[in-house]
Amino acid sequence: MKDGGRLSAAIEVIEDIESRRRPVQEALKDWGTSHRFAGSGDRTVIGNLVFDVLRKRSSLAWRMGAESARDLVLGVYALEWGNDAEAVNAALAEDRHAPAALSDKEKAAIAANSLKDAPDWVKADIPEWLWPSFAANFDDEAVAEGAALAERAPIDLRVNTLKATREKVLKRLSSLGAESTRIAPTGVRLKARPGPARMPHVQAEEGYRKGWFELQDEASQIAALLVFAQAGEQVLDFCAGGGGKTLALAAAMANKGQIYAYDSDKLRLAPIHERIARAGARNIQVRQPVEGALDDLVGRMDRVLVDAPCTGTGVWRRRPDAKWRLSEPALEDRIAEQEQALSIASAFVKPGGFLIYATCSVLAEENEEQVYRFTEANEEFELVSVGEVWQDTFGFDKPHPWSADMKTITMTPASTGTDGFFVAVMVKNA
């Protein structure tokens, strides 16, 4: 396929997403199934166009002066991928499957490429209804924080220290441009590539198959480190999901002690078994979500991690379609689920133990407000300063996260170069 046909395909996928309100990956998969002539390179370019549209939908629509699928896709190709109007028209002219040539209005919009007079929520590519909450959380940096959440994300890997060292993984992945992460001591990063470029498929690498590393964003790695799980302790990962943080905790504990991995959703928990085997983790016990599954753990845990269900606002770089599907009722549902998860999980913490609350959200409603409300209602729990622990753990020369109270922290793409992630630590007083 030539670029003209790829642009038509991306327009078709965007129209499908909008008309049927379906996830982007599902729409792209269906398009590929019904267009088997498209090669892997074609599908990569089409996917990049579609994802970039979803990342910057509002600012693209403003700059193009319209928000049809055509305007958005051509806007990405021109304004984000560095093609002027002449280059765009050349791509359209050389392919009979391409969209129609640019109109005079489209040419003028591409030439201007202007966000002049655009409201801040447009510049930040944040849904308008959510902007007051987002802006209140980041003050004068809100536009910059929103814009950073609209950029492409890198691929981050966590070196599994049960089987390898960071130096070993960096050497093995040197041909892919691998480099050390700035903060996480066992992190490896492959920078995002621009325009039509394909990102490497790291799961095909020998090191992945051997369990030397796992796919895990640096923020998630840092969150696991801030649990401070020690060898020999009893730890409950209450919302374990696919097991990313569970595996990080197992490595931090050097396979000593016991980690209980639990999730209320059996499907989310399903991938953990294969990942445990590949990682060589021997101190993880998976508890299925059945009645009484955790009764024997009440009041016994040194540390309980609650990586709570959330809106996912911190991972919009990776899941940009979720940004525009998010609604006020959905936010309210997540807040209720978080309150319930905290309430249930807190019963497993022993006196002197720690309750760690984390989300991949950057909204105060899901973060600071949740832990304040919890500690007010449960006076035996007291917030510990994660900000001080951050400095002691990672040093003063590393990027610093946001902190509204000098106790909890929020990592963001703009502040720490990671996904958005919130962490709070509470100690249960005797």
Side-chain angles (χ1 to χ4, degrees):
M1 295 177 70
K2 297 179 180 179
D3 274 2
R6 292 164 170 169
L7 289 166
S8 286
I11 292 170
E12 184 179 336
V13 173
I14 291 294
E15 288 174 341
D16 183 31
I17 292 169
E18 291 181 343
S19 63
R20 298 171 64 184
R21 297 190 177 278
R22 60 201 309 233
V24 60
Q25 292 288 13
E26 186 178 304
L28 284 168
K29 181 181 178 181
D30 283 358
W31 186 92
T33 300
S34 59
H35 298 79
R36 295 190 181 278
F37 59 83
S40 62
D42 299 320
R43 292 193 297 271
T44 294
V45 175
I46 294 164
N48 285 353
L49 286 166
V50 169
F51 271 86
D52 281 352
V53 163
L54 295 172
R55 289 186 179 99
K56 300 193 174 185
R57 182 188 183 96
S58 291
S59 61
L60 284 168
W62 183 276
R63 287 180 283 172
M64 292 298 292
E67 55 182 353
S68 71
R70 169 189 166 92
D71 288 289
L72 296 173
V73 171
L74 293 180
V76 163
Y77 190 70
L79 306 177
E80 297 297 321
W81 290 20
N83 295 297
D84 60 18
E86 184 178 345
V88 175
N89 260 340
L92 300 179
E94 68 178 8
D95 190 342
R96 62 188 179 90
H97 300 291
L102 293 175
S103 67
D104 290 341
K105 178 183 176 183
E106 289 168 337
K107 291 178 185 177
I110 290 170
N113 189 14
S114 174
L115 282 171
K116 183 182 178 182
D117 300 325
D120 285 346
W121 64 269
V122 169
K123 295 177 183 177
D125 277 295
I126 300 294
E128 184 176 7
W129 71 268
L130 191 60
W131 179 247
S133 175
F134 188 91
N137 208 29
F138 293 112
D139 300 321
D140 295 339
E141 301 300 319
V143 170
E145 289 289 350
L149 279 167
E151 296 297 329
R152 291 187 184 181
I155 293 176
D156 284 351
L157 313 172
R158 179 187 57 80
V159 175
N160 177 20
T161 53
L162 297 175
K163 288 191 171 184
T165 63
R166 180 152 71 173
E167 291 70 26
K168 183 177 183 177
V169 172
L170 285 170
K171 182 177 180 181
R172 185 57 63 96
L173 300 182
S174 59
S175 62
L176 304 181
E179 57 186 39
S180 299
T181 49
R182 294 181 65 187
I183 304 170
T186 57
V188 170
R189 172 164 292 181
L190 306 177
K191 289 183 177 179
R193 297 177 181 178
R198 181 202 301 263
M199 291 295 284
H201 182 54
V202 294
Q203 288 105 319
E205 295 292 325
E206 178 189 25
Y208 178 80
R209 297 195 304 271
K210 289 184 174 180
W212 294 354
F213 60 83
E214 287 283 339
L215 281 161
Q216 187 175 22
D217 180 75
E218 186 180 13
S220 182
Q221 297 179 42
I222 292 168
L225 289 171
L226 292 173
V227 174
F228 265 93
Q230 305 296 308
E233 288 187 334
Q234 300 287 302
V235 178
L236 171 61
D237 188 352
F238 186 70
C239 302
K245 293 181 190 64
T246 307
L247 295 173
L249 294 171
M253 295 167 67
N255 262 339
K256 298 174 182 176
Q258 187 70 62
I259 302 170
Y260 301 92
Y262 173 85
D263 197 283
S264 60
D265 188 326
K266 188 180 296 185
L267 289 178
R268 282 199 301 262
L269 196 60
I272 197 171
H273 300 281
E274 185 272 334
R275 296 179 74 184
I276 289 171
R278 189 175 65 247
R282 300 188 303 274
N283 65 334
I284 300 172
Q285 184 180 130
V286 180
R287 295 288 181 95
Q288 295 296 323
V290 296
E291 186 175 354
L294 302 177
D295 287 354
D296 60 317
L297 306 184
V298 172
R300 291 181 46 213
M301 296 296 100
D302 294 290
R303 299 172 198 268
V304 175
L305 170 61
V306 181
D307 185 5
C310 69
T311 56
T313 52
V315 293
W316 277 343
R317 299 187 301 174
R318 304 179 192 278
R319 302 172 193 165
D321 55 326
K323 182 192 303 190
W324 310 109
R325 293 203 311 268
L326 181 61
S327 64
E328 291 186 69
L331 173 58
E332 292 170 0
D333 288 345
R334 297 295 86 75
I335 290 172
E337 291 170 1
Q338 291 154 7
E339 290 177 346
Q340 182 181 38
L342 263 177
S343 177
I344 296 172
S346 64
F348 301 104
V349 185
K350 73 179 187 181
F354 295 88
L355 177 63
I356 299 91
Y357 176 78
T359 73
C360 56
S361 172
V362 295
L363 302 179
E365 296 95 320
E366 300 182 272
N367 296 338
E368 291 93 345
E369 292 178 19
Q370 282 285 18
V371 294
Y372 295 161
R373 194 158 49 242
F374 175 80
T375 52
E376 288 173 5
N378 299 271
E379 294 182 353
E380 69 272 28
F381 285 92
E382 180 183 354
L383 278 168
V384 176
S385 177
V386 184
E388 293 180 6
V389 173
W390 178 283
Q391 294 173 343
D392 293 340
T393 304
F394 304 115
F396 290 85
D397 59 332
K398 298 295 196 313
H400 282 254
W402 281 84
S403 181
D405 52 14
M406 296 308 294
K407 290 188 176 182
T408 62
I409 62 163
T410 303
M411 294 172 272
T412 66
S415 66
T416 52
T418 67
D419 283 350
F421 221 97
F422 174 83
V423 181
V425 178
M426 293 160 278
V427 63
K428 182 176 183 179
N429 296 315

